[in-house]
Amino acid sequence: MDKEAYLKSLKESIVNLDFAGVVKSAQEAMEAGVDPNEAINQGMVAGMAIVGEKFEKGEYFLSELVVAAEVMKEGLNVITPYLKGEATKKLGKVVIATVAGDHHDLGKNIVSSLLRVQGFEVIDLGVDVSTEKIIAAVKEHQPDVVGMSALLTLTMPKMGEVIEALKKEGLRDRVKVIVGGTSITSEFAASIGADHKAVNALEGVKKSVEWVGNKARRN
């Protein structure tokens, strides 16, 4: 097969949610000498883009989105050892958490998986995470983005507490803050001083990629 055939096989494996297929395609592509960066970006990332389009059109649902991200991780496990030097450089860094008092993690987990697929280093603090723990993680990891999730209206104000704490610690200007959750509106996000309210997991990831890209161009 030529290179394009290997890339097409990788892309179709993602779109078809094919775990065995992506491992086989990734192994064959690497053995054939396909550039690992091209395999990732023109093969699997291109497949994720199609999955994203299907999700936005209502052809795929959250479950397919989760599986597609897991399929891509399997492919990355095969290809990553072939990456060298700059190829292994991370796109950016994200600290993400479900805020204190809230134990819902489906949306957060999907976002974490998709961010990793895009090349971010993700520090996932889990659920029911205190403001103090989030601030400590920001100090330690110095991320580009802080992502917060809340499903319950009772826990949403915790997001505002985190942003105020970031200001108090002199950290707010160093990070972009994105919030997400079924009950959260753009108006609420603006009222607490967040930079963005994610419409869905894919849109939130796209916004994070955009932010990091803009930061890189400024630097």
Side-chain angles (χ1 to χ4, degrees):
M1 290 196 296
D2 62 8
K3 180 180 72 174
E4 294 304 318
Y6 288 112
L7 296 177
K8 181 181 178 183
S9 181
L10 282 165
K11 180 168 64 177
E12 290 178 346
S13 295
I14 301 296
V15 176
N16 295 329
L17 314 178
D18 186 350
F19 282 94
V22 79
V23 170
K24 181 173 182 290
S25 296
Q27 288 173 337
E28 290 177 347
M30 293 302 96
E31 289 168 4
V34 175
D35 180 85
N37 282 303
E38 291 187 20
I40 292 171
N41 293 307
Q42 296 177 34
M44 294 190 295
V45 171
M48 280 301 300
I50 295 172
V51 171
E53 291 169 4
K54 288 181 175 292
F55 175 70
E56 290 170 353
K57 292 176 182 176
E59 296 173 16
Y60 275 7
F61 300 96
L62 279 178
S63 55
E64 283 86 0
L65 200 58
V66 173
V67 173
E70 292 300 313
V71 170
M72 183 158 176
K73 286 200 311 195
E74 290 295 313
L76 286 171
N77 287 340
V78 174
I79 295 172
T80 298
Y82 291 85
L83 293 168
K84 297 181 179 68
E86 282 298 304
T88 61
K89 187 176 180 180
K90 291 291 183 181
L91 179 63
K93 193 181 294 186
V94 179
V95 165
I96 192 169
T98 299
V99 296
D102 205 313
H103 291 80
H104 296 88
D105 65 356
L106 176 60
K108 175 186 67 62
N109 291 347
I110 293 170
V111 171
S112 293
S113 293
L114 293 176
L115 284 167
R116 290 188 179 103
V117 162
Q118 287 292 339
F120 282 92
E121 178 183 349
V122 179
I123 298 92
D124 188 341
L125 302 178
V127 300
D128 189 22
V129 182
S130 68
T131 296
E132 293 75 17
K133 188 173 180 181
I134 294 173
I135 298 302
V138 172
K139 288 180 177 178
E140 178 184 353
H141 299 285
Q142 299 181 12
D144 302 284
V145 180
V146 173
M148 292 184 283
S149 173
L151 187 66
L152 305 174
T153 54
L154 290 174
T155 60
M156 286 164 51
K158 293 292 181 181
M159 294 175 164
E161 287 183 18
V162 172
I163 292 173
E164 288 304 311
L166 287 170
K167 292 177 182 176
K168 184 177 179 181
E169 295 292 332
L171 300 168
R172 181 65 184 91
D173 292 339
R174 302 182 192 177
V175 297
K176 291 289 190 180
V177 176
I178 188 167
V179 295
T182 306
S183 301
I184 295 170
T185 63
S186 296
E187 290 75 20
F188 172 79
S191 74
I192 62 172
D195 292 295
H196 187 69
K197 181 261 176 178
V199 176
N200 56 51
L202 276 169
E203 189 270 341
V205 171
K206 287 179 182 176
K207 177 57 71 173
S208 298
V209 171
E210 176 188 315
W211 280 335
V212 173
N214 289 340
K215 181 178 178 181
R217 283 192 288 274
R218 286 196 301 271
N219 294 337

